[in-house]
Amino acid sequence: HFLLGALQSNSEKSYLDALKSFRIECNAQGIQFQQLGPEEQDWILAEHILALHDRDPNLRTKAVYLVAAITKINPTRRFKAAQRVLLSWGTEMTKREAPPMPKDLLLAIVVWLHVHERPVVATVILIWFSGLLRVSEVLNLVRRNIVMCETAAILILDRTKRGQNETVVLTNMSVIK
C-alpha cells in the first residue's frame, strides 16, 4: 500500500483506522474482501457504508476515508455503488456554514474604522458581512436602495448573481443603529 504512505501522517492514520474497522467487520461476517471480484467488493463496501449510516449519521467522514483508502489501494477500480451511497448520504446532511466573521470581530473593525475617521468604509464592511453579500452586491448598493425602518434595514439589490431586485433584510439592532 505504498500510495497510502504518500499521505500526510494524520490522513494516513485516518485511512488506516477506517481500513482496520472495515477489516474487523468483514472478518466478523466471514467476508474475505480481497478475494472478491470488483463488483462484489463494490456492493460489500456500499452495504458497509449503509450500516455506518444506520449506526451513526456522524460517521460519514469515516466512510469517506474508507472509500478513499480502498480506492488508493485499488487505483484502477471504480466503486460506483459505494460512491453513490456516500453522495446520497452527503446530500441528506444539513449544511453547517460558519459565519464569514465573528460578530465581535466585525463590530471591533467597524468601531476601529470609525475612530480612525473612515465611517463610509466601516458602513460598507458592516453591511457587507451582516447581510452576507457578495463583493459586487455591496459595491453596487446605492443609498436609494436602502430602506431604514425602526426594527430593520431593507437592502434592495439591483444586480445580483441570482437575479434582479433581490432584497436582504437586516434585523440585528447593533447593525441597524
Side-chain angles (χ1 to χ4, degrees), residues 42-43 45-46 49 67 79-87:
D42 188 18
W43 286 109
L45 186 56
I49 294 168
V67 172
F79 297 94
K80 291 181 182 179
Q83 293 285 355
R84 279 191 217 113
V85 171
L86 270 179
L87 183 62

Side-chain angles (χ1 to χ4, degrees), residues 147-177:
V147 179
M148 297 299 297
C149 303
E150 198 169 309
T151 58
I154 303 167
L155 311 176
I156 302 166
L157 307 175
D158 281 336
R159 288 181 252 159
T160 68
K161 191 174 183 178
R162 296 177 298 270
Q164 294 290 332
N165 293 332
E166 291 194 27
T167 58
V168 173
V169 179
L170 303 176
T171 57
N172 184 327
M173 291 309 291
S174 58
V175 172
I176 295 168
K177 291 182 179 189

Side-chain angles (χ1 to χ4, degrees), residues 1-175:
H1 310 313
F2 81 94
L3 289 175
L4 290 178
L7 299 169
Q8 292 181 2
S9 60
N10 57 347
S11 295
E12 182 180 6
K13 182 184 178 329
S14 298
Y15 278 48
L16 293 174
D17 288 347
L19 280 170
K20 181 179 177 184
S21 296
F22 181 62
R23 284 190 185 125
I24 290 170
E25 290 276 333
C26 285
N27 289 340
Q29 295 177 17
I31 298 170
Q32 294 186 354
F33 187 77
Q34 293 300 332
Q35 306 302 319
L36 300 174
E39 192 172 319
E40 291 172 299
Q41 284 183 345
D42 188 18
W43 286 109
I44 294 294
L45 186 56
E47 288 177 10
H48 179 73
I49 294 168
L50 284 171
L52 285 175
H53 176 272
D54 291 343
R55 191 177 322 146
D56 182 359
N58 295 318
L59 293 175
R60 185 173 187 277
T61 302
K62 184 176 183 177
V64 169
Y65 280 123
L66 175 61
V67 172
I70 290 177
T71 302
K72 285 211 181 287
I73 292 168
N74 304 293
T76 60
R77 292 197 188 151
R78 301 277 179 230
F79 297 94
K80 291 181 182 179
Q83 293 285 355
R84 279 191 217 113
V85 171
L86 270 179
L87 183 62
S88 66
W89 189 351
T91 57
E92 77 178 28
M93 295 178 69
T94 58
K95 301 237 187 283
R96 290 175 286 160
E97 293 182 14
M101 182 184 307
K103 180 180 158 188
D104 293 338
L105 178 59
L106 173 61
L107 294 177
I109 291 170
V110 168
V111 168
W112 187 87
L113 286 166
H114 273 287
V115 167
H116 288 84
E117 299 178 6
R118 304 291 303 254
V120 174
V121 176
T123 304
V124 167
I125 289 175
L126 185 63
I127 291 171
W128 180 15
F129 283 96
S130 298
L132 298 174
L133 303 177
R134 293 181 174 85
V135 174
S136 62
E137 292 170 344
V138 77
L139 292 177
N140 287 318
L141 193 60
V142 291
R143 177 65 184 107
R144 71 175 184 273
N145 288 353
I146 301 173
V147 179
M148 297 299 297
C149 303
E150 198 169 309
T151 58
I154 303 167
L155 311 176
I156 302 166
L157 307 175
D158 281 336
R159 288 181 252 159
T160 68
K161 191 174 183 178
R162 296 177 298 270
Q164 294 290 332
N165 293 332
E166 291 194 27
T167 58
V168 173
V169 179
L170 303 176
T171 57
N172 184 327
M173 291 309 291
S174 58
V175 172

